[in-house]
Structures are given as structure tokens and as C-alpha cells.
Amino acid sequence: MAYRNRILSKGPKIVAIGGGTGLSILLRGLKEYTSNITAIVTVADDGGGSGILREDLGMLPPGDIRNCILALANTEPDMERILQYRFKEGSLKGQNFGNLFIAAMNEIYGSFELAIKETSNVLAVTGKVLPMTLEDVVLYAVLENGNVVEGESNIPLKNKEASSKIDRVYMEPKISYPVEEAVEAIEEADIIVLGPGSLYTSVIPNLLVNDMVGHIYKSKAKKVYLPNVMTQPGETDDYTVFDHVEAILKHSRKDLLDYVIVNIEKIPEETLEKYKEDGSKPVILTEEDEKRLNNLNIKMIKSNLIEVKKDYIRHDSLKASELIFNLSVRKDKLKKAYS
């Protein structure tokens, strides 16, 4: 174990930016290739247990950060089960114990940033988990029909009701800055990965923080986007790979990305049936997408990236992580050390 940890400590410096389930799944794979991981996580969430704690305690939402901490934690399975436990009865019904743990740490240390660090120390986290900003931000979506939707949790719901695509998203207050450690990690990174995760409510909010796009662009790291494998009802209905990329560039700059990692694996029809009921479809790469990506000098990495667990379609975190790892100039040294 000590030898393995020594090898992983020499791995590429990877910054993963996003939120939701998608980012935490990717992190579980990345930690098998390097321990130099920094996860920068959205704090625009205002729904569920996180939203309740945000409103009641005036703290930033802990849910996405909790999932990322647990993904990078080196702890016993029972501890993870405890921290992921959701109360089923009483006044705590629907609340997650891990969220309450972070809320307690926030009260004890008087700082959300410090609470995350101390929680990470307790759980022996590989790398770092950082919030995208320490500002109490609210996410808004401007729909193509002109309507404006307030609140991260409302965006897919109201958009679905209106049957109108999202034109753009923005945050209030307009002035918000990334935490210093996040900026340092971006500057020192070998690879910066955007996604996977909900396009407008998990990935793009990170790009709306003041100066974040500039820091990413100026970094010498390779910039990679990993879009979801399935469309998200009320958010990315009928989106192809290029539609995802176009939204990222619209909220940043047209020359931000170097690579996009694309799933080309076909999903069994029986697995898709459950998703069809909700209006979710595979995110496909069309011939037109390929031409447009080539015109933008964005390289495509195509692979079979699907993993199905309990009828849920997810990225295969190890395969996706290997593709990201293989973009690093350090890969040959590490492979030699392992052989």
C-alpha cells in the first residue's frame, strides 16, 4: 500500500470541475491513477436536504461536496454507508447524515471552507475537494421563450413545463470569486476536466465564477470535456455532443477546450426503456458534430464508456479515467513504475 501510494503521488495533477453524481463517479476512477486530484464543486444547489440546510443554517449546500469527499475517501464501507444514510422518519426525514456532519463541522469551525478540509482529513481523502466559491450564489436560467427561472432545482422543472430550451444561465450576485486553492490547482494542473454532470446546473455554474474561465484558459493544462451519456429532461432535451460543447463555449470562450471524450457504445434497448418514459435519450455524436468540432480544433476521443448498475446508466469511471490519464505526459513514467 505504501508503495502504491508513492507511485500515485507521482501521478498527473488533475483538476475535475463539476458537481452532482457524475463528478463523484469520475473521481472514484481517477484516484486509481493519481493522488494529485483537486475537485472543484458547484455550490449553486438549492434543492433537497442541501437546500433545507442552506436556508435554515445560512450555509453553503453540502450535498455535491459530500458525494465528492466520499468518492475520494479512504475509509471503511460501513462509514460510507453511515454518511450516505438518509433519514426516513421524523423531522429529519429526507435529510442525509453526511450533510448534517458537514453542517456540524461548519458550526464548529465557523467556516465552510475549513469544515470541508477537516471533514476531508477525518475521512482520509485522496487529493482535495473545494467549493467553486464561498459566495452564497443563486443560479438563474434564461429560456429561449424569454422566461427567467430562479433556482438550480427549479430550472429543469420549469423548463420542462415551458417546453423551451435554455438559452443561457447566470448567477447572482454577479461578483463571486473562486477560492485561492482552486486557482492554484488550476495553474499547476496537467489536465483540467469539465464534467460529467448536469450541463447547466452542475458544470457551467463553475464557469460563471469571476475569473474562473480566464484561469482555466491561461493554465498550461490540457482542457477536456466529458459530457453526459444521457440527455437530461428539462435541461438538455435532444442535445447531441456538439450541443453540449457549444453550451460550454457559449458560457466561456470558443477556444477553451482541447478535447472532448465521447461515448460511442450502444446501450441495450431494454435498459433504455426506463429512460424513455422520462424523455431521456443517449447523447449521440453525429457526422455534423464531428465536422463542427474539427472546425473548432477540438480533438475527439471516442470509446465505449457505458456502465449499467441496477438499470442506471453511468460512465464507466475506470475507462473514462484511463483515457484522461493517457493524455498526461507523465503516464509512461507511471506505467513503467507499475510494471
Side-chain angles (χ1 to χ4, degrees), residues 6-278:
R6 220 166 33 241
I7 296 299
L8 291 177
S9 70
K10 297 176 183 177
K13 294 179 180 179
I14 297 178
V15 172
I17 301 174
T21 305
L23 181 59
S24 60
I25 288 173
L26 177 64
L27 294 175
R28 290 182 187 275
L30 288 177
K31 73 177 184 180
E32 298 300 319
Y33 290 89
T34 180
S35 58
N36 296 313
I37 302 169
T38 301
I40 300 175
V41 188
T42 179
V43 286
D45 184 11
D46 61 4
S50 284
I52 292 170
L53 290 176
R54 181 176 184 174
E55 186 174 343
D56 286 352
L57 302 179
M59 65 180 289
L60 293 178
D64 285 354
I65 285 175
R66 179 201 77 239
N67 282 330
C68 290
I69 286 174
L70 288 174
L72 293 175
N74 295 296
T75 188
E76 296 297 323
D78 282 347
M79 178 59 76
E80 180 168 351
R81 285 179 59 204
I82 291 169
L83 289 168
Q84 290 287 45
Y85 178 76
R86 199 171 292 277
F87 293 90
K88 297 179 176 63
E89 302 293 339
S91 60
L92 290 177
K93 184 177 179 180
Q95 191 55 266
N96 179 284
F97 179 73
N99 286 354
L100 297 178
F101 184 86
I102 294 175
M105 297 291 265
N106 185 59
E107 292 284 323
I108 291 168
Y109 291 100
S111 159
F112 188 72
E113 188 177 10
L114 194 53
I116 295 168
K117 286 182 181 178
E118 293 302 325
T119 301
S120 297
N121 289 338
V122 169
L123 297 175
V125 163
T126 296
K128 295 178 182 178
V129 177
L130 304 171
M132 68 178 187
T133 183
L134 294 174
E135 296 292 332
D136 184 18
V137 294
V138 177
L139 189 66
Y140 293 81
V142 180
L143 307 185
E144 287 184 351
N145 65 7
N147 291 348
V148 177
V149 182
E150 177 183 349
E152 176 268 344
S153 60
N154 288 325
I155 290 172
L157 299 175
K158 298 295 184 182
N159 186 26
K160 196 172 183 180
E161 289 175 9
S163 298
S164 177
K165 290 184 179 294
I166 296 171
D167 178 55
R168 63 185 177 90
V169 292
Y170 66 93
M171 290 194 310
E172 294 285 355
K174 288 188 168 57
I175 303 299
S176 61
Y177 292 101
V179 298
E180 192 173 321
E181 279 189 87
V183 174
E184 290 172 358
I186 288 169
E187 289 174 346
E188 297 172 2
D190 297 307
I191 300 171
I192 297 172
V193 185
L194 298 176
S198 300
L199 178 62
Y200 289 104
T201 54
S202 289
V203 180
I204 289 177
N206 295 278
L207 301 176
L208 304 179
V209 177
N210 291 68
D211 300 332
M212 182 67 90
V213 170
H215 290 304
I216 293 171
Y217 176 73
K218 290 174 186 174
S219 172
K220 294 179 181 179
K222 293 174 182 176
K223 290 88 176 181
V224 184
Y225 176 46
L226 182 58
N228 281 352
V229 293
M230 299 292 294
T231 62
Q232 187 169 348
E235 192 162 335
T236 56
D237 297 280
D238 298 319
Y239 271 39
T240 66
V241 169
F242 186 80
D243 292 327
H244 282 78
V245 171
E246 187 176 40
I248 292 286
L249 302 183
K250 182 176 182 178
H251 289 83
S252 55
R253 50 184 295 159
K254 64 179 182 180
D255 53 354
L256 185 73
L257 298 174
D258 299 312
Y259 296 89
V260 58
I261 296 177
V262 181
N263 171 63
I264 55 171
E265 184 174 356
K266 289 192 175 181
I267 303 168
E269 281 299 320
E270 59 269 21
T271 305
L272 287 175
E273 284 302 316
K274 175 184 173 182
Y275 285 81
K276 285 180 181 177
E277 294 174 9
D278 295 327

Side-chain angles (χ1 to χ4, degrees), residues 323-339:
L323 293 175
I324 293 165
F325 171 74
N326 284 338
L327 291 174
S328 170
V329 295
R330 302 186 186 196
K331 67 180 186 298
D332 293 331
K333 291 180 182 178
L334 281 170
K335 285 181 177 179
K336 187 176 180 180
Y338 270 126
S339 62

